[in-house]
Amino acid sequence: MPDYRLADAEAKFADLIWEHAPINSTELVRLSEEVMQWKKSTTYTILKRLCDRGIFKNENAIVSAAVSRDDFFVGQSRRFSEDTFGGSLPSFLTSFIGGKKLPEKQAEELVRLINEHKEG
């Protein structure tokens, strides 16, 4: 399972890859220099780190996503919930709502989602 924690620079670089993948590694170096002012060595160092963590792959000089952006953020959200709320969805929702009232439509949507994902 990929490590879903990214430093700010890694997150910006990951977004760059997701926006352009699949991308030739030479083109990625050019984009990284343009967007992030990185040298070639920095680009390849961070790319290797993200590939080693299972988020991207670099095969035959083509960089592609091993994990989609959406799946990455799902994993990141789960990790946050587990680390912060012990994996308790009720605790997470209580904190997220923060004593505010939910509009009827949002409350109905939450009930629908909960019913959809109930265990047998």
Side-chain angles (χ1 to χ4, degrees):
M1 173 177 281
D3 182 352
Y4 291 102
R5 292 171 292 190
L6 296 181
D8 290 342
E10 290 173 329
K12 188 174 178 180
F13 183 60
D15 281 335
L16 189 67
I17 296 171
W18 278 314
E19 286 174 25
H20 296 90
I23 184 171
N24 179 283
S25 60
T26 303
E27 179 65 11
L28 181 58
V29 167
R30 187 195 64 72
L31 270 174
S32 297
E33 183 178 11
E34 181 182 308
V35 173
M36 304 180 73
Q37 290 74 52
W38 283 1
K39 293 181 180 182
K40 179 180 178 179
S41 60
T42 302
T43 298
Y44 281 116
T45 298
I46 302 301
L47 177 60
K48 182 175 179 349
R49 187 180 305 159
L50 296 180
C51 288
D52 289 348
R53 290 163 66 188
I55 301 168
F56 297 104
K57 347 179 234 194
N58 185 7
E59 298 170 332
N60 300 319
I62 301 296
V63 178
S64 60
V67 175
S68 73
R69 187 188 309 223
D70 288 344
D71 288 345
F72 176 81
F73 285 116
V74 165
Q76 197 174 46
S77 298
R78 282 191 181 137
R79 183 175 194 96
F80 174 78
S81 174
E82 289 168 8
D83 290 350
T84 309
F85 301 100
S88 168
L89 184 57
S91 295
F92 171 77
L93 287 174
T94 300
S95 176
F96 184 79
I97 293 168
K100 296 182 256 178
K101 297 290 182 187
L102 288 176
E104 185 67 28
K105 201 169 193 170
Q106 284 184 359
E108 288 171 1
E109 179 69 6
L110 282 173
V111 168
R112 184 189 67 73
L113 286 168
I114 289 167
N115 287 332
E116 234 177 64
H117 291 87
K118 277 184 187 177
E119 289 182 355

